């Protein structure tokens, strides 16, 4: 089978999964350090999607490291089918949660000016978290 860039068991695949993990962890930390995120379901679902993405990416990064270290081939039909299916499910969940959180952040910042009225809301951290979630999804 032909080796594709960023496929399982390659150095680029491991780098992709580690960068996904770093962006997901940074976005989660940015969201959790803000006050009041759990009061809104869009932010809560984005945080849940980010944790799921973090666990999935770390698991695949460990699998890539194991395959590279022991010179194992991860390009079996069953292995690739599971990875592709779970990747699609996690990507759809990440995109929908990031879009919902982005719309809520825009609503708070621009439409009703909650950020100006309630200074305890960490709107800049919410914005940073949404941007990092979209970067995670793009990776």
């Amino acid at each position: 089978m032909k080796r594709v860039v960023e496929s399982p068991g390659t150095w680029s695949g491991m780098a992709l999964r580690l960068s996904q993990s770093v962006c997901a962890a940074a976005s989660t930390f940015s969201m959790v350090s803000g006050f009041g995120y759990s009061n809104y379901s869009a932010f809560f679902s984005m945080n849940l999607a980010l944790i799921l993405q973090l666990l999935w990416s770390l698991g695949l990064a460990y699998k890539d490291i194991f395959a590279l270290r022991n010179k194992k081939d991860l390009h079996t039909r069953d292995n690739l089918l599971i990875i592709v299916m779970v990747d699609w499910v996690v990507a759809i969940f990440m995109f929908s949660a990031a879009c919902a959180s982005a719309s809520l952040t825009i609503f708070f910042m621009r439409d009703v000016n909650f950020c100006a009225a309630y200074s305890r809301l960490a709107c800049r951290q919410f914005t940073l978290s949404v941007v990092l979630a979209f970067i995670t999804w793009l990776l």
Side-chain angles (χ1 to χ4, degrees), residues 93-112:
F93 188 41
M94 270 294 304
F95 185 69
S96 62
C99 286
S101 295
S103 66
L104 188 60
T105 303
I106 290 171
F107 180 71
F108 281 168
M109 293 180 79
R110 312 249 184 208
D111 295 339
V112 293

Side-chain angles (χ1 to χ4, degrees), residues 22-38:
V22 167
C23 286
S27 181
T28 302
F29 180 73
S30 176
M31 181 63 72
V32 170
S33 65
F35 180 72
Y37 81 94
S38 61

Side-chain angles (χ1 to χ4, degrees), residues 7 9 19 27-28 31 35 49 58 72-73 75-76 86 93 106 114 132 134 136:
S7 65
S19 61
S27 181
T28 302
M31 181 63 72
F35 180 72
L58 279 178
K72 299 285 185 187
D73 185 27
H75 289 94
T76 62
V86 175
F93 188 41
I106 290 171
F114 268 4
L132 286 170
F134 274 112
T136 303

Side-chain angles (χ1 to χ4, degrees), residues 17 20-21 23-29 31-32 37 40-58 86-101 129-130 132-137:
R17 297 303 177 171
Q20 279 180 337
S21 300
C23 286
S27 181
T28 302
F29 180 73
M31 181 63 72
V32 170
Y37 81 94
Y40 306 103
S41 61
F43 292 145
F44 185 77
S45 66
M46 187 179 80
N47 204 16
L48 186 65
L50 285 167
I51 291 170
L52 177 68
Q53 178 71 50
L54 175 67
L55 294 175
W56 175 247
S57 295
L58 279 178
V86 175
D87 267 345
W88 273 99
V89 169
V90 171
I92 290 169
F93 188 41
M94 270 294 304
F95 185 69
S96 62
C99 286
S101 295
S129 181
V130 168
L132 286 170
F134 274 112
I135 291 172
T136 303
W137 173 76

